Amino acid sequence: MSYGVAAYGTDGKLTFHSDYSSIVYGGEMSKTTDPARPTYTGDHHIAITPALKSSNYNMGWIVQYKITLDVDYMVPFYKPAFNNQEIAIMDVINEGTSWVVNLLFSGNSLQYPYVYAFAPLTELPSSAVTLNSHGIAVYDANSDLVFTDSKRPLRIDDVIAITHGSTIKSGSKGTCGNSNSCHVNFTPDTSTTYTGSVNNTTSKLYHIVPSAYGGLAYENNGSGTNSCGLFNLFDRKYAWSYKSWTSFRGTVRHPRGGATHVADWQGDFAGAAHQYVQGDCGIGGFLGALLGVFLVVFTGGAALAVIGGALAGFAIGDMTVGTTPSLKAYDDDETFDTSNTVNLLVTDTSYYGITDDGDVDITDRLTYSYSASTTSPTHWLYGVSGLGANFTVQAPGVFVAAGWFWGVPAPASTATSYTAGNSTYYRGPLQRTDYPVQGDSSTYNKYYSVAIIQG
């Protein structure tokens, strides 16, 4: 610049420059959808339970954030909900005067990260910028505000080049045969560690949009002949086919206690299917084309139509940064864009007046429900009878039970949470108390509202 102002901090880093607009903190993004773990539910599908989504398919949660900012570009930074959390920014989408971020994270459904937006100061509306009565304001030749001490510019403490490996899993997946309940194991076993210069703490914010993606798949099939008919004199031919997969995104985690960052993999869409067919009983029984090619359902638009129902309410679009595609199914083990190096940017909440409350306390995010419906109740029930304690949690699609009748120890009457399988149930306020034996207060059923968190 021939004329203008440039200022540097005590660390020698440029604080502002009158030729360039400062990138400043624009606000916290709001979560606009419930976290989801979509799975294939089309023809011949095998159900994948919440526990299996974690243990065998290594699925994360997809969640969406939004902020109103009428700017040309926006840089999102995330704050992990807990130590070593896997995170990937999947999409950054401009919707007119708003910006949307789709993000994939590990943990349970309430451990979604905080996301903060940074944008050019010159493009923020005047209503979003309040100048101090005593301070500094710098304008460029077009009279656009490019710096003010009332809006701290984005300060980058560290930049680490991240590249994902070309292999998601090197070990065995296991096997599945002619079964409509079997699941192989797609848990990744490869990662790459990079070392920066700044230690990871609860106050750190990170920006990276990994471009690496891929999938793991497993397929098996077979055919044969069974004897049938009178005295097993005839043949009945059969055939079966099995397929399962997980689609993966390149993620990054930031273990505390050091300055390392780990490039890893997390599943964003999974599925499993099985089909068995048999022909007529007869001499030399004929199978023909009985075995439908259900695998075609897994690819392209048909699969995405199934996903669309699971992600109702999400804005799904092309990346404005990065090259990650839409969710997809896989027929073979594949990885893409693993040779691309993407920069991880690190900054700190303390620079922008963002409160660091440490890790997310999920009890602050619980939503309790209760329904006294006789056909589809929702409750936490703790009952006592002459035979002992009895405990159930019910909700649509959920039934968990413990106590004397079920042969599983019931939680204490004072318990406020209960974990079974891959979910944790939280007791809410008491809704009603029933006394099955009139005049006997020692026998009762207490109904509470309940919050359910999938792991």
Side-chain angles (χ1 to χ4, degrees):
M1 74 183 170
S2 300
Y3 302 94
V5 179
Y8 296 84
T10 56
D11 56 4
K13 295 180 180 179
L14 183 67
T15 299
F16 69 85
H17 192 299
S18 58
D19 285 351
Y20 304 100
S21 171
S22 299
I23 304 299
V24 299
Y25 173 51
E28 182 177 351
M29 301 191 74
S30 299
K31 182 179 73 72
T32 56
T33 62
D34 291 330
R37 292 196 289 183
T39 56
Y40 173 71
T41 57
D43 293 344
H44 313 294
H45 77 275
I46 301 173
I48 303 177
T49 66
L52 286 168
K53 289 180 182 181
S54 298
S55 64
N56 288 51
Y57 293 86
N58 198 59
M59 293 191 69
W61 298 86
I62 300 174
V63 66
Q64 188 163 96
Y65 302 83
K66 193 171 188 176
I67 191 171
T68 300
L69 281 177
D70 190 7
V71 295
D72 287 339
Y73 65 91
M74 184 274 298
V75 184
F77 279 74
Y78 59 80
K79 182 178 182 294
F82 59 89
N83 183 27
N84 220 23
Q85 183 175 30
E86 290 189 55
I87 296 175
I89 295 175
M90 300 168 65
D91 296 289
V92 181
I93 306 166
N94 182 220
E95 293 188 327
T97 60
S98 297
W99 285 85
V100 169
V101 167
N102 292 324
L103 183 144
L104 178 70
F105 67 93
S106 65
N108 66 45
S109 57
L110 288 187
Q111 290 177 311
Y112 48 88
Y114 298 102
V115 179
Y116 303 95
F118 289 78
L121 176 61
T122 53
E123 297 184 26
L124 294 181
S126 57
S127 59
V129 181
T130 302
L131 299 180
N132 293 327
S133 55
H134 300 282
I136 298 175
V138 179
Y139 297 83
D140 64 13
N142 297 319
S143 298
D144 292 326
L145 183 66
V146 295
F147 175 83
T148 172
D149 59 332
S150 66
K151 280 281 190 181
R152 292 292 302 275
L154 175 62
R155 172 177 168 176
I156 301 301
D157 292 333
D158 206 359
V159 179
I160 304 96
I162 301 290
T163 303
H164 281 76
S166 58
T167 302
I168 299 175
K169 184 180 180 74
S170 59
S172 172
K173 304 168 189 168
T175 60
C176 281
N178 184 20
S179 170
N180 62 2
S181 61
C182 183
H183 298 273
V184 297
N185 194 321
F186 291 122
T187 303
D189 58 11
T190 64
S191 61
T192 309
T193 300
Y194 298 89
T195 302
S197 60
V198 175
N199 283 348
N200 298 313
T201 65
T202 60
S203 66
K204 294 305 179 194
L205 303 177
Y206 307 92
H207 168 82
I208 186 170
V209 185
S211 63
Y213 65 98
L216 297 175
Y218 177 85
E219 188 172 353
N220 200 1
N221 59 74
S223 60
T225 301
N226 289 324
S227 298
C228 62
L230 182 66
F231 304 117
N232 287 328
L233 295 176
F234 303 101
D235 296 331
R236 186 193 303 274
K237 291 191 175 182
Y238 67 88
W240 59 269
S241 184
Y242 174 94
K243 178 181 174 64
S244 60
W245 81 91
T246 300
S247 165
F248 285 94
R249 305 270 178 158
T251 57
V252 180
R253 46 191 172 91
H254 318 279
R256 296 182 196 139
T260 60
H261 307 273
V262 183
D264 216 326
W265 299 94
Q266 186 84 46
D268 60 12
F269 176 53
H274 169 264
Q275 186 178 18
Y276 176 89
V277 292
Q278 60 184 6
D280 296 329
C281 184
I283 297 175
F286 178 67
L287 181 66
L290 281 176
L291 185 60
V293 187
F294 70 81
L295 302 187
V296 72
V297 177
F298 299 148
T299 58
L304 296 181
V306 175
I307 299 169
L311 297 181
F314 279 72
I316 303 295
D318 293 331
M319 293 284 287
T320 55
V321 287
T323 57
T324 309
S326 298
L327 306 181
K328 62 171 290 185
Y330 285 85
D331 296 321
D332 301 291
D333 295 354
E334 297 178 283
T335 55
F336 301 92
D337 288 352
T338 55
S339 61
N340 290 349
T341 298
V342 183
N343 284 333
L344 167 67
L345 309 182
V346 183
T347 185
D348 197 284
T349 57
S350 62
Y351 305 148
Y352 319 105
I354 299 171
T355 301
D356 174 25
D357 290 325
D359 289 341
V360 166
D361 183 352
I362 63 172
T363 60
D364 294 335
R365 294 176 168 179
L366 294 175
T367 300
Y368 294 94
S369 300
Y370 175 78
S371 171
S373 167
T374 57
T375 57
S376 183
T378 298
H379 60 236
W380 167 301
L381 167 62
Y382 188 88
V384 174
S385 69
L387 296 174
N390 208 33
F391 166 78
T392 60
V393 171
Q394 284 187 261
V398 174
F399 182 82
V400 177
W404 68 267
F405 182 81
W406 306 99
V408 178
S413 61
T414 55
T416 57
S417 66
Y418 182 80
T419 298
N422 207 47
S423 297
T424 300
Y425 308 89
Y426 291 87
R427 191 188 77 185
L430 179 66
Q431 301 297 315
R432 80 173 198 266
T433 302
D434 293 345
Y435 297 98
V437 181
Q438 189 172 4
D440 182 4
S441 60
S442 65
T443 301
Y444 59 82
N445 290 316
K446 292 188 174 183
Y447 294 83
Y448 301 83
S449 57
V450 64
I452 302 173
I453 307 303
Q454 289 187 13

